[in-house]
Amino acid sequence: MGICPYGRMIARTFGKFPPRNVASGSEDVALFAGGFALILFWLLYLFLILGTTADNFFCPALAVIASIMHLSDSIAGVTILAFGNGAPDIFTSLVSRGDEAIIMFTELIGAGVFVTSMIAGTVAITKPFKVSLRSLMRDACFYIVSVCWINYVVWDEMVYLWEAVSFILVYVLFIVAVVIMQVYDTREQTLKTRIPSVPDPDVLHTYLANRDTGAIPKIPGRSRPFGLHAKLDIAIATELERAKTRGDSVRLSPEISDYVSDRPKGLFKEFFYDINPISEEDWKKSNKLFKIVLIVRSPVMLLLQLFIPVVNPTVEKRGWSKLLNCFQLCVTPTIALFLLNVWQTTFGNLPVMPVFLVVGTVIAVIVFLTTHVDRVPKFHNVFAFLGFLAAMLTVYLVAGEVMAVLQCIGYACSISDAMLGITFLAWGNSIGDLISNVAIARRGFPRMGYAACFGGPMFNTLLGLGLTYGIAAATDPEQQTKIRISDMAPGCLAFLLCSLVATIIYLNITGATARRSYGGLLYSIYFAFILIQFLSELHIIHPLGTDHRPDL
């Protein structure tokens, strides 16, 4: 396995590779501990960047793109929006190469165990609720079939191109099932809400008054598209639209319904207001921990706000900020060239960087001269595509850095690649989902937060493995790729199946009611899973599915 730059730095510092030799040969244990603490902090900061980019820039852009493409909520939820939520996992798997594939495989499966047990259990404990049993059975059964098929494919540690493509096709089949159920439910809802034919105008008036959905509350537009509540607002707005379609009554919490905007007016005032990395609203409503997070992430947040355009349908003017958007048109394409390390590329004798800078500047000037500060231009949705590409590039580059740092930590601490995937990477990529899903449940939408605990990890696993192995197999002359899976992989797959089966059994017994005892059941499954993996890592017990006998 190649050593990442951090590993070489540690090697140069000590002359040998710690911590295997810390007790016997390291010259300065304190220096090593300090360096390790810095690397660990850098890893946590990278996870914060991934979550911030996905929540504040990726998800809003994908929501707008889904609207532009006129995708139904069901299709958008299991495709584009699922991609937005799972972007860190997807790109982490895509940047993995060689031995890193072990980290990637166990991360995708380990994150599935974490999400379907810890996050789903936390949602149930936070706010017990009634589950949509049909949707749950559909999602859980597809997930079980997917896990069984993955186990069959990787058992011989050889993946053919058709097998990698089959992972993607399984998810396509899941999308088809979602669409068919949605069409059936919509047809039934239409029959139920059909206006009766009655001769008495008073009766008809009473019926129309009772079926009026205008009372469904809407989220008041926030003053800026960036903030701790960006992803949450989009999720709630989507659920409100679905409630309106179903004719359900929804009550918003006072925190949302009593919101008052403080957005300033004026070209420059608006610009400086939008690039401020810490909004006054987030600061006032955050506890001490989140205030620390706001301060720590402010440098990278400032850069992201400057260079990634955002179109957010839940905020005032959909995120239009004239001076900031024009600045982004000018510099964002050029910055992308530097990040991709292609800024020295030439077309003939013409360097590409000045061309991008000049073209971007000309377009920015035209937009500036033809738009108004207080009116959203008709072509504003185009910025969503530019923001999507910029956010995707950011997530991809940060994911590559995450893999490098993880390799360094594993090398320095003698932690196996599989354990890194199960713990650091799975927790880091899933902690944002935990916070957002629990927040959605507390706002009164536990079913929405719970549903994301099954569709999301299934999307990440099937697409992550399918694309990664598919690209590797497609580049091979024999259209196959040799893979390595850890001894911990069978245990990960077994506990993921255990979590899914336990969910099906429990909810069928309780009449589809997710009680707090359900959360305790899922917690116990995950704690047993992580305990066995830690004991296996410490060589106290053998990993599940391995033979304890020595090789003959």
Side-chain angles (χ1 to χ4, degrees), residues 182-388:
Q182 182 66 31
V183 170
Y184 177 78
D185 291 342
T186 302
R187 184 176 300 171
E188 281 201 341
Q189 188 65 35
T190 302
L191 292 175
K192 291 179 181 179
T193 57
R194 184 172 295 171
I195 299 177
S197 177
V198 293
D200 190 343
D202 293 333
V203 175
L204 181 59
H205 176 75
T206 303
Y207 174 81
L208 292 174
N210 290 332
R211 71 184 295 272
D212 183 22
T213 58
I216 299 294
K218 294 184 178 180
I219 298 179
R222 294 190 183 272
S223 56
R224 46 185 266 153
F226 321 103
L228 294 174
H229 304 284
K231 178 182 176 181
L232 185 60
D233 285 346
I234 291 176
I236 293 176
T238 303
E239 183 62 17
L240 288 176
E241 287 297 323
R242 293 174 180 172
K244 186 174 182 179
T245 302
R246 296 191 302 262
D248 298 341
S249 60
V250 180
R251 179 185 298 176
L252 287 179
S253 63
E255 182 182 354
I256 299 177
S257 56
D258 295 342
Y259 173 75
V260 179
S261 173
D262 60 349
R263 185 174 184 84
K265 296 185 180 296
L267 185 66
F268 290 100
K269 288 183 179 180
E270 191 177 65
F271 174 81
F272 288 111
Y273 179 82
D274 282 329
I275 66 171
N276 180 12
I278 303 177
S279 70
E280 184 179 356
E281 174 194 353
D282 286 341
W283 184 262
K284 289 181 178 179
K285 294 184 178 180
S286 299
N287 55 31
K288 292 182 179 180
L289 177 60
F290 277 99
K291 285 182 179 178
I292 294 175
V293 172
L294 289 173
I295 294 173
V296 170
R297 78 168 191 173
S298 58
V300 68
M301 194 67 183
L302 174 62
L303 294 176
L304 293 175
Q305 290 175 195
L306 279 172
F307 300 117
I308 302 181
V310 174
V311 180
N312 191 331
T314 66
V315 302
E316 291 183 32
K317 299 194 301 182
R318 297 174 59 84
W320 167 249
S321 180
K322 180 176 178 178
L323 187 56
L324 177 59
N325 288 152
C326 292
F327 175 79
Q328 291 164 340
L329 283 174
C330 180
V331 301
T332 298
T334 307
I335 296 296
L337 295 178
F338 279 97
L339 294 177
L340 292 171
N341 198 26
V342 294
W343 58 278
Q344 293 180 323
T345 305
T346 59
F347 290 110
N349 295 326
L350 185 64
V352 67
M353 188 184 70
V355 172
F356 271 67
L357 184 60
V358 170
V359 172
T361 303
V362 171
I363 295 175
V365 171
I366 295 174
V367 171
F368 186 84
L369 296 176
T370 57
T371 57
H372 303 274
V373 176
D374 55 349
R375 271 188 285 169
V376 181
K378 295 181 179 179
F379 53 81
H380 185 228
N381 284 339
V382 175
F383 285 92
F385 292 91
L386 179 60
F388 165 74

Side-chain angles (χ1 to χ4, degrees), residues 83 86-95 108 459-460 463-464 467-468:
F83 179 51
D89 296 281
I90 296 295
F91 285 109
T92 299
S93 64
L94 288 177
V95 299
L108 290 173
F459 176 88
N460 300 342
L463 268 292
L467 292 175
T468 303

Side-chain angles (χ1 to χ4, degrees), residues 100-121:
E100 296 175 358
I102 294 180
I103 303 178
M104 177 269 297
F105 183 87
T106 54
E107 186 274 334
L108 290 173
I109 305 300
V113 182
F114 181 81
V115 173
T116 58
S117 55
M118 290 296 292
I119 298 182

Side-chain angles (χ1 to χ4, degrees), residues 62 66 71-84 171 175 459:
L62 291 174
L71 298 180
S72 66
D73 288 340
S74 56
I75 299 177
V78 297
T79 54
I80 290 186
L81 297 183
F83 179 51
Y171 196 78
I175 295 174
F459 176 88

